[in-house]
């Protein structure tokens, strides 16, 4: 493996590709190229460690190690059996395979995964008279198999557990938002830690914690214990230690306020436990407060939230979204607010025209991330004031 010029593929969610590409450029990626739900780039081993540790909108980070064409299952098995797997793993290490298959020839991902597993095990059995273990729960090595028609690509998964598993979540709410999606939403909304932040329906607190991590420039994986690359043959512990130290030295003080409201005692408790686990009690304030009875207390203010929508939590949609709009208009002048919802009919009841709409997926649910700009007076007056 050429550790100076690694080809790297970073997976993300639909709609966050541009945000991820910007993150990767800032972290020093070369030849950054946007794909569907992914960003490709080049970098050295240190860069691979750095993006695993720091990139907020990365789900998993893959390094391709073998590419070939196969037109039937015998060719597929044969090419894999002849590959030198011991360059990348030892017979004593356990492994797992996950697969993405888009092919008329290889229709069933489980079948090709099984074939690949057989090829790896048979390779070690023939060469060392011993077999490595397949371990799905906590393997030493994770391989990613991608088949597009006849083209087969095998990659090493450098992350191990998916990178949304930040390591701070102790309690889940009814429908917690994924940490990577939360961070992507905050970056799309322009949150950079300047000013104040409110999540008026904070649930278990994911948006609050991700907002605090951005505000303080904390690495996304500061709480994570293990990465996949730490089991690789070329793992450089000293280099990884230096990268972590360098990143932690860049952490900054945050002067503003990050506040979360909720009315559900169980949610508030979950949020407090997660905030405590993230060691952010000094930065994040959680209040039992009904948003519909609240008034703007922080200036300037960015608001981002994930209100309940009917697939996840039963609410009276029409009335609920109308109340959101009324609260915006009456109690939150000169505020930028963003919310995510899959109920595109119900959001019309907000009664304000969104100034931006971004298509995102929350799990399998297609949603829109909507921006609302509340001005005192008219836009025209506001713009005149801005230009003075």
């Amino acid at each position: 493996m050429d550790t100076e010029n690694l080809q790297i593929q970073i997976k993300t969610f639909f709609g966050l590709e541009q945000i991820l590409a910007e993150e990767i450029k800032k972290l020093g990626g070369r030849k950054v190229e946007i794909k569907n739900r992914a960003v490709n780039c080049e970098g050295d081993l240190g860069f691979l460690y750095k993006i695993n540790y720091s990139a907020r909108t990365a789900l998993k980070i893959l390094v391709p190690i073998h590419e070939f064409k196969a037109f039937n299952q015998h060719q597929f098995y044969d090419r894999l059996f002849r590959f030198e797997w011991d360059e990348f793993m030892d017979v004593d290490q356990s492994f797992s395979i996950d697969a993405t298959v888009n092919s008329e020839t290889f229709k069933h991902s489980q079948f090709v995964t099984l074939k690949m597993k057989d090829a790896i095990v048979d390779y070690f059995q023939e060469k060392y008279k011993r077999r490595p273990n397949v371990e799905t729960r906590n393997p030493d090595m994770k391989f990613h198999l991608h088949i597009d028609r006849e083209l087969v690509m095998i990659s090493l998964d450098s992350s191990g557990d998916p990178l949304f598993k930040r390591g701070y979540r102790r309690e889940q709410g009814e429908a917690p938002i994924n940490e990577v999606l939360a961070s992507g939403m905050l970056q799309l909304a322009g949150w950079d830690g300047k000013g104040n932040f409110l999540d008026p329906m904070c649930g278990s607190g994911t948006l609050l914690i991700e907002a605090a991590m951005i505000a303080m420039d904390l690495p996304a994986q500061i709480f994570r214990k293990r990465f996949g690359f730490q089991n690789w043959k070329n793992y450089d512990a000293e280099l990884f230690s230096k990268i972590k130290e360098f990143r932690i030295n860049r952490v900054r003080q945050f002067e503003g306020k990050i506040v979360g409201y909720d009315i559900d005692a169980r949610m508030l408790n979950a949020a407090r436990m997660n905030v405590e686990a993230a060691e952010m009690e000094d930065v994040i304030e959680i209040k039992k407060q009904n948003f519909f009875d609240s008034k703007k207390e922080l200036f300037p203010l960015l608001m981002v939230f994930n209100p309940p929508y009917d697939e996840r939590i039963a609410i009276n949609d029409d009335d609920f979204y109308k109340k959101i709009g009324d609260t915006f208009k009456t109690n939150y002048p000169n505020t930028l607010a963003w919310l995510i919802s899959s109920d595109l009919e119900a959001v019309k009841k907000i009664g304000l025209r969104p100034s931006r709409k971004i298509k995102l997926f929350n799990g399998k649910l297609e949603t829109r991330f909507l921006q609302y700009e509340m001005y005192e007076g008219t836009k025209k007056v506001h713009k005149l004031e801005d230009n003075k």
Side-chain angles (χ1 to χ4, degrees), residues 107-319:
K107 285 182 180 162
H108 303 292
S109 60
Q110 277 178 306
F111 175 75
V112 289
T113 304
L114 205 61
K115 275 282 178 207
M116 178 170 161
K117 185 204 79 172
D118 289 346
I120 295 172
V121 167
D122 294 350
Y123 171 87
F124 280 101
Q125 181 66 38
E126 182 172 279
K127 192 164 181 179
Y128 297 97
K129 305 294 177 268
R130 285 170 59 214
R131 304 159 67 88
N133 286 332
V134 178
E135 170 70 65
T136 50
R137 296 205 81 173
N138 198 16
D140 297 316
M141 303 293 291
K142 277 180 98 167
F143 295 105
H144 183 74
L145 164 64
H146 185 270
I147 304 179
D148 186 15
R149 292 175 285 268
E150 291 79 36
L151 187 65
V152 179
M153 185 178 283
I154 310 295
S155 302
L156 285 176
D157 184 340
S158 69
S159 306
D161 275 345
L163 294 171
F164 67 80
K165 294 188 177 181
R166 307 278 208 233
Y168 62 70
R169 194 191 282 283
R170 295 287 174 272
E171 292 290 322
Q172 296 219 147
E174 292 297 317
I177 201 153
N178 178 295
E179 290 82 344
V180 163
L181 179 59
S183 192
M185 284 162 54
L186 290 163
Q187 291 178 71
L188 286 167
W191 173 246
D192 57 2
K194 295 181 175 72
N196 305 290
F197 178 81
L198 173 67
D199 178 347
M201 298 178 189
C202 71
S204 58
T206 308
L207 277 162
L208 299 173
I209 295 169
E210 292 294 325
M213 290 179 88
I214 291 169
M216 294 189 287
D217 202 13
L218 278 176
Q221 304 302 336
I222 193 164
F223 302 109
R224 179 180 274 239
K225 300 284 188 281
R226 293 297 296 171
F227 292 89
F229 61 73
Q230 288 174 289
N231 293 323
W232 291 7
K233 285 190 157 189
N234 62 8
Y235 174 52
D236 186 336
E238 194 182 339
L239 176 61
F240 185 39
S241 188
K242 278 182 184 159
I243 281 162
K244 285 197 289 188
E245 193 182 340
F246 178 77
R247 276 298 287 114
I248 287 164
N249 285 339
R250 285 183 42 197
V251 171
R252 61 186 180 222
Q253 282 291 112
F254 171 57
E255 304 301 330
K257 286 195 167 169
I258 293 173
V259 179
Y261 296 160
D262 213 289
I263 51 170
D264 183 330
R266 208 161 50 86
M267 288 291 94
L268 290 163
N269 189 46
R272 286 191 181 108
M273 286 179 78
N274 290 333
V275 166
E276 205 175 298
E279 299 168 18
M280 289 181 179
E281 306 97 309
D282 298 349
V283 183
I284 297 170
E285 185 185 349
I286 291 163
K287 286 183 179 178
K288 184 166 188 178
Q289 170 72 59
N290 185 335
F291 172 55
F292 303 142
D293 302 330
S294 71
K295 281 189 161 51
K296 184 172 179 177
E297 294 176 354
L298 301 167
F299 303 83
L301 179 66
L302 176 70
M303 193 191 301
V304 180
F305 64 115
N306 174 33
Y309 22 102
D310 57 2
E311 283 90 343
R312 311 168 315 147
I313 300 163
I315 53 165
N316 177 343
D317 272 348
D318 287 7
D319 189 39

Side-chain angles (χ1 to χ4, degrees), residues 57-75:
T57 49
L59 282 170
K60 66 168 88 168
I61 300 171
L62 304 174
V63 177
I65 54 170
H66 191 32
E67 194 178 307
F68 59 90
K69 282 192 172 178
F71 296 90
N72 56 55
Q73 64 186 51
H74 302 293
Q75 280 183 345

